[in-house]
Amino acid sequence: KAGVTQTPRYLIKTRGQQVTLSCSPISGHRSVSWYQQTPGQGLQFLFEYFSETQRNKGNFPGRFSGRQFSNSRSEMNVSTLELGDSALYLCASSLETGANYGYTFGSGTRLTVV
Amino acid sequence: AQSVTQPDIHITVSEGASLELRCNYSYGATPYLFWYVQSPGQGLQLLLKYFSGDTLVQGIKGFEAEFKRSQSSFNLRKPSVHWSDAAEYFCAVGAQTGYSTLTFGKGTMLLVSP
């Protein structure tokens, strides 16, 4: 069974640009969550999508957005990039929404903003 | 709101020695509790989880954790550490009701000395 796939693995962008990250969940999983990981703030929740609907959102500015497609694949977008957006972005998939279903994480996308 | 504290940022253990990583959580009811491990440049791998029942849970790679409600703790233990256990360990809490995300601690970096 394939795991959670995140593409690309690495990205370098310039301040002010926008970026789109992709996440393919485990087959059959309908929930996708996104987390930002930085050395200073640790792992912070961005948002969760379930059945193409955003179910939960963390405390991030509107520059961070996402969506989920009918096949459960998800994308997140960051517009007007800032240096502080440099981070490892992790996607996690779950069978259903709710912590009791557990989360399987991808290897992440390392975004560097210069 | 739920929160997790991992008091130790770094821990160094000799190979073959026992290990205990501390985790304290704050949540109004019984939470779901998780331990994840992250190797450099990788995503998070689930070690074990507690949902209910037996307060001592066994996980992969010889790890176990004990849920102590009176102390709001969920400490991770391993009787004999191997050099390959060197990684960062994260404790996480999730709510048992409603839509739930995982709230992570800041992590404990485990170093294994020969």
Side-chain angles (χ1 to χ4, degrees):
Chain A
K1 197 175 192 181
V4 178
T5 303
Q6 292 189 246
T7 56
R9 285 298 308 276
Y10 302 92
L11 266 178
I12 300 176
K13 290 286 188 179
T14 305
R15 263 184 308 175
Q17 287 186 312
Q18 74 166 17
V19 67
T20 299
L21 312 182
S22 178
C23 173
S24 293
I26 290 173
S27 177
H29 284 198
R30 298 199 293 159
S31 169
V32 173
S33 299
W34 289 89
Y35 287 82
Q36 181 196 65
Q37 185 178 25
T38 59
Q41 299 298 317
L43 282 148
Q44 293 186 284
F45 172 73
L46 281 157
F47 25 66
E48 181 196 8
Y49 286 87
F50 178 75
S51 292
E52 302 179 64
T53 302
Q54 186 180 90
R55 293 302 177 106
N56 223 332
K57 190 177 192 304
N59 189 26
F60 278 82
R63 300 185 297 107
F64 291 81
S65 63
R67 59 178 176 169
Q68 187 180 34
F69 302 94
S70 58
N71 62 357
S72 294
R73 190 177 72 85
S74 176
E75 290 181 346
M76 67 163 281
N77 184 277
V78 187
S79 62
T80 319
L81 284 165
E82 301 176 359
L83 295 179
D85 297 333
S86 295
L88 181 66
Y89 289 87
L90 292 166
C91 164
S93 79
S94 178
L95 195 61
E96 302 282 336
T97 186
N100 56 307
Y101 289 96
Y103 297 85
T104 301
F105 283 81
S107 297
T109 294
R110 171 74 64 184
L111 172 65
T112 302
V113 182
V114 297
Chain B
Q2 57 212 40
S3 66
V4 177
T5 301
Q6 293 180 246
D8 304 305
I9 299 174
H10 296 98
I11 280 187
T12 300
V13 174
S14 299
E15 189 168 16
S18 64
L19 168 71
E20 182 168 28
L21 301 182
R22 294 183 291 164
C23 171
N24 291 96
Y25 68 89
S26 174
Y27 182 65
T30 301
Y32 295 131
L33 293 161
F34 306 81
W35 274 100
Y36 283 88
V37 61
Q38 185 179 35
S39 298
Q42 298 299 313
L44 279 72
Q45 180 183 20
L46 179 67
L47 286 175
L48 47 78
K49 60 191 176 188
Y50 171 79
F51 286 171
S52 65
D54 193 350
T55 57
L56 184 63
V57 293
Q58 302 297 320
I60 62 171
K61 304 185 180 186
F63 286 93
E64 67 177 26
E66 186 171 13
F67 170 59
K68 292 186 177 180
R69 185 191 307 274
S70 61
Q71 298 176 22
S72 296
S73 69
F74 188 56
N75 294 349
L76 181 72
R77 300 194 295 248
K78 186 170 184 178
S80 178
V81 168
H82 188 261
W83 64 266
S84 60
D85 293 324
E88 191 158 21
Y89 292 79
F90 293 91
C91 180
V93 60
Q96 289 202 13
T97 57
Y99 301 124
S100 177
T101 66
L102 291 187
T103 299
F104 287 87
K106 293 291 178 117
T108 297
M109 181 65 73
L110 172 65
L111 305 174
V112 180
S113 61

